[in-house]
Amino acid sequence: MKITLAGIDYLVLFIYVVALFIFGFYLKSRRAASGTDIFLGGRSLNWWQIGFSMFSANAGPMMLIGLSSLGFSKGVVGANFEWLAWVFLMLLAAFFIPRYIATGISTIPQFLLWRYGRRSYNFLVIYSLFSILFVWLGSALYAGGLVISGIFRCSLLEAVLLVAVIATSYTAMGGLKAVVRTGVFQSLIIIVSSCLLTVLALGKTISTHVWNTPVPADFWKLLHTDRDPEYSWMAIFAGYPVVAVYYWCADQTIVQKVLAARNVRQGQYGILLLAGLKIITPFIFIFPGILCWLLYGNSTTPDNAYVTLVNNLMPPGLRGLCIAALIAALIDTVSAGLNSFSTVFTLDVIGQLRPLQEGDSIRIGRWLTVVAALLSVGIAILFSYSGKSLFELTQGLVSILAPPLSVVFLSGIFWPRTDRLGAELVLFGGGFVCLVVGFCYVLNYPYKGYWPHFLLLSVYLFIGLAAVMASVTVARRQPATGALPSVSGISSNLAMSRGLWLGWGILAVIMVIIYIVLN
C-alpha cells in the first residue's frame, strides 16, 4: 500500500494531530476529572455526542479498508453488515437500555450480577476484558498498523506503537469525556473525506464510460443464493443477528457511551442518530470499493482498493485528509477500547477486592489504560501470523465470541424465568468452547480451510448454547430471577416516546425500499 504524499499532505496530517491533542486534552485543561468523569463522563453526554462517538468507535480501519475490500471483491452484499444494524440498534434503544438504566449499572457485567448472580458476573468481567483486548484493541491495531506501515514505509511494530502511544496519552488523562470529544471530531473527518472520495470516484467512473462494464453475477444484489459459500442470504440472516445482539446491545465499548447519557431519552436519540448514520456508510465505504473494481480492477487487489482510489483520485491536500481519516478511525477505536478496558478492570475487578476512593479510581484507571495498550500491541503482532484477510479476521473474532453472550442477554432481557444455572453453563462451558474455537480459527488450526465461514460457525454455536439454556430452564422450573421489569412495567420516562418510534418507522421504510431496489 504505497501512497505518494506531497508537502501539503504532511501539513494536513500535522494539523490533524495537533487538533486531536487539543480535543483530547481540552477537558483536562478545564477541570480535574472525577472518577465518574474517567469512566462514564459524569453521565452527562448529549444525544449527538453519543451518536457520533459510537459511530467513530465502530468506524475503525476495517470500515474504510475492509468494507471497500469487500465491495471490490463481492459487490454490494457487504452492505448487509451496515443496513441490518438498525434492527438491533432499535432493540438496544427500546428494550436493553431502559432495563440497563432501571438497574443503575455502570458496566455491562453488572447487569449479569443483578440478573444471574456473582458467578455469571465474574465470568463476563473476564470475558469482556479478553474481548476488548482481542476484538477492539489487538485487531484494530493490527489492521491499522498494516495500512500505516505501508503508507509511511515503517515496520508494523513502529506503526502499532505510534498509534498506541497517541491513543493512550489523552485516554488515560481525560477518560471517557476525552474519548467522546475526539470521537465527534474524528467522525466528521471520516465522513467528509469518504464522501469526497466517493464523489471523485463516481465522477471518474462516469467520465471514463466504465459504468456499463459487465460485472460478476449478484454484484449489485444484497441477497445472494446458496451458491455463494460465504455470504448467502441464509448466512447473512442467520449469522449476523448472533453477532449483532452481542455487538450492539451487550458490548461494553459500544454501550458504555449510552450508559453515560444525561438521561435515557438522550441515549435513545443518540442510538437513533447512529442508526441514521449507518444508512450512509455503505454509500461511502462499500460503494467506493465497487467503483474501484470498475476503474482499476485489473491493476490492484481488494485490500488495496481504498488506498488505490486515494492515490489515483485525490489531489494533494485531500490525499492527506484521507490518510488523516484512516488514522482517525484507528485511533478512536483504540481509545474507546482502552477506556472500556480500564473501566471494567477498575470497577469490576479491583472494586471487588477493596473499596476504592475517587482518587484511587482515577490513578488505577490511568495505569490500566497503559497496561491495556502494551498488551494490545503484543496481540496485534500475534495477529500478523494468522494469514487471514483484515475483514475476515476482525469479523470472525466477533462472530465466534458472540454466541454465549447473545444467548444470555436475549434470555435475560426477554425471558424472566431464565435459570441461573443455565446461564452459568452457557457462559462457562460455551464461553470456553468459543474461546478455543476462536483461537483455532484465527491460527488456522488444525489446517487452513478446516473451519466453516465465521457467520455459519456463529450460528452453530448459538443454536447449541440456546438449546442448553432452554433445556435447563424448562427442566428446573425456577421462579423468575432478578426482578426483571417487563416492557409494560418500565416507567414512562424510560420507555421510548412516540417521536422515537416515528423515527424508527421512517428508518424501517427506507431500509425496505433499499432492499427492494437492490434485489
Side-chain angles (χ1 to χ4, degrees):
M1 298 180 182
K2 295 183 178 180
I3 294 182
T4 303
L5 298 178
I8 191 173
D9 295 313
Y10 288 105
L11 177 61
V12 170
L13 288 172
F14 175 76
I15 294 173
Y16 158 72
V17 173
V18 171
L20 178 66
F21 278 109
I22 290 174
F23 279 97
F25 288 100
Y26 177 63
L27 177 67
K28 182 65 180 176
S29 66
R30 289 181 65 194
R31 65 182 183 185
S34 68
T36 304
D37 285 323
I38 284 288
F39 302 120
L40 290 177
R43 297 189 190 267
S44 61
L45 299 187
N46 295 313
W47 63 272
W48 56 272
Q49 293 174 310
I50 295 168
F52 280 114
S53 62
M54 289 176 74
F55 175 82
S56 61
N58 171 241
M62 290 315 309
M63 192 73 80
L64 296 176
I65 301 297
L67 288 182
S68 62
S69 171
L70 193 56
F72 183 98
S73 59
K74 289 289 186 177
V76 77
V77 67
N80 285 291
F81 292 98
E82 301 299 300
W83 283 337
L84 291 177
W86 74 274
V87 177
F88 304 94
L89 289 170
M90 184 177 67
L91 288 179
L92 173 64
F95 300 103
F96 284 79
I97 285 302
R99 286 167 170 78
Y100 291 160
I101 299 298
T103 57
I105 64 173
S106 297
T107 66
I108 293 300
Q110 290 172 9
F111 177 76
L112 292 195
L113 174 63
W114 174 85
R115 187 67 178 83
Y116 296 118
R118 187 161 296 277
R119 284 194 293 267
S120 295
Y121 163 65
N122 287 331
F123 172 88
L124 187 55
V125 168
I126 303 301
Y127 203 73
S128 295
L129 293 174
F130 271 98
S131 69
I132 292 170
L133 282 174
F134 281 87
V135 175
W136 282 99
L137 295 173
S139 62
L141 280 175
Y142 170 58
L146 283 179
V147 177
I148 293 175
S149 62
I151 293 172
F152 296 104
R153 279 75 162 176
C154 60
S155 69
L156 175 65
L157 179 60
E158 290 170 337
V160 167
L161 284 173
L162 176 63
V163 172
V165 168
I166 294 175
T168 303
S169 61
Y170 68 78
T171 304
M173 298 302 295
L176 183 65
K177 273 284 191 178
V179 173
V180 170
R181 284 183 180 276
T182 55
V184 174
F185 165 63
Q186 300 194 111
S187 290
L188 297 177
I189 292 179
I190 295 168
I191 292 171
V192 170
S193 65
S194 298
C195 286
L196 288 173
L197 183 62
T198 302
V199 170
L200 290 175
L202 183 60
K204 178 75 169 180
T205 303
I206 295 173
S207 65
T208 55
H209 305 288
V210 299
W211 187 256
N212 293 322
T213 301
V215 298
D218 294 336
F219 208 63
W220 289 106
K221 289 186 178 294
L222 280 168
L223 303 180
H224 289 188
T225 66
D226 293 338
R227 289 176 297 179
D228 187 338
E230 295 179 316
Y231 301 108
S232 67
W233 68 271
M234 181 61 73
I236 293 291
F237 283 130
Y240 179 76
V242 176
V243 181
V245 168
Y246 161 64
Y247 184 87
W248 293 115
C249 302
D251 184 90
Q252 176 68 29
T253 305
I254 290 293
V255 180
Q256 184 171 340
K257 277 71 169 186
V258 191
L259 295 178
R262 185 156 50 89
N263 54 55
V264 70
R265 193 70 71 238
Q266 292 292 316
Q268 289 170 332
Y269 275 109
I271 296 168
L272 182 59
L273 170 61
L274 174 62
L277 292 173
K278 300 297 281 184
I279 295 178
I280 69 171
T281 50
F283 294 108
I284 61 177
F285 296 143
I286 293 178
F287 194 49
I290 297 174
L291 297 177
C292 183
W293 185 88
L294 294 172
L295 291 167
Y296 310 106
N298 295 324
S299 59
T300 189
T301 62
D303 279 348
N304 285 326
Y306 180 84
V307 173
T308 298
L309 288 178
V310 171
N311 211 26
N312 286 278
L313 300 180
M314 283 299 209
L318 291 182
R319 196 173 297 166
L321 181 65
C322 282
I323 302 306
L326 267 176
I327 299 174
L330 172 60
I331 289 178
D332 200 76
T333 298
V334 172
S335 64
L338 290 173
N339 183 250
S340 296
F341 183 92
S342 67
T343 298
V344 173
F345 205 109
T346 303
L347 300 183
D348 295 324
V349 176
I350 298 178
Q352 290 192 71
L353 301 177
R354 64 183 179 90
L356 291 175
Q357 301 296 321
E358 187 172 284
D360 294 333
S361 297
I362 296 173
R363 184 176 62 258
I364 292 172
R366 287 172 177 165
W367 278 110
L368 285 171
T369 301
V370 176
V371 170
L374 294 174
L375 291 173
S376 60
V377 168
I379 293 170
I381 301 302
L382 174 66
F383 282 162
S384 66
Y385 296 98
S386 70
K388 293 185 179 293
S389 70
L390 301 183
F391 184 83
E392 185 182 16
L393 178 63
T394 54
Q395 293 298 318
L397 277 174
V398 175
S399 299
I400 295 168
L401 291 175
L405 274 300
S406 296
V407 170
V408 168
F409 274 86
L410 282 174
S411 302
I413 292 292
F414 295 106
W415 194 6
R417 282 193 54 235
T418 303
D419 187 71
R420 292 187 177 189
L421 177 60
E424 292 167 5
L425 288 174
V426 168
L427 290 173
F428 285 92
F432 176 76
V433 170
C434 289
L435 283 175
V436 171
V437 170
F439 275 109
C440 293
Y441 176 84
V442 169
L443 299 177
N444 289 314
Y445 181 85
Y447 55 85
K448 190 173 184 178
Y450 177 82
W451 298 100
H453 191 261
F454 60 81
L455 287 175
L456 295 174
L457 190 56
S458 68
V459 175
Y460 302 149
L461 292 169
F462 178 86
I463 292 173
L465 296 176
V468 171
M469 175 71 87
S471 300
V472 173
T473 298
V474 171
R476 284 169 52 86
R477 299 183 180 179
Q478 296 294 309
T481 59
L484 183 69
S486 65
V487 176
S488 59
I490 295 176
S491 59
S492 59
N493 65 319
L494 294 180
M496 287 217 300
S497 65
R498 290 184 179 180
L500 281 164
W501 281 118
L502 176 61
W504 289 108
I506 294 172
L507 192 60
V509 171
I510 294 173
M511 288 294 98
V512 169
I513 293 173
I514 289 176
Y515 271 79
I516 291 174
V517 171
L518 291 177
N519 281 293

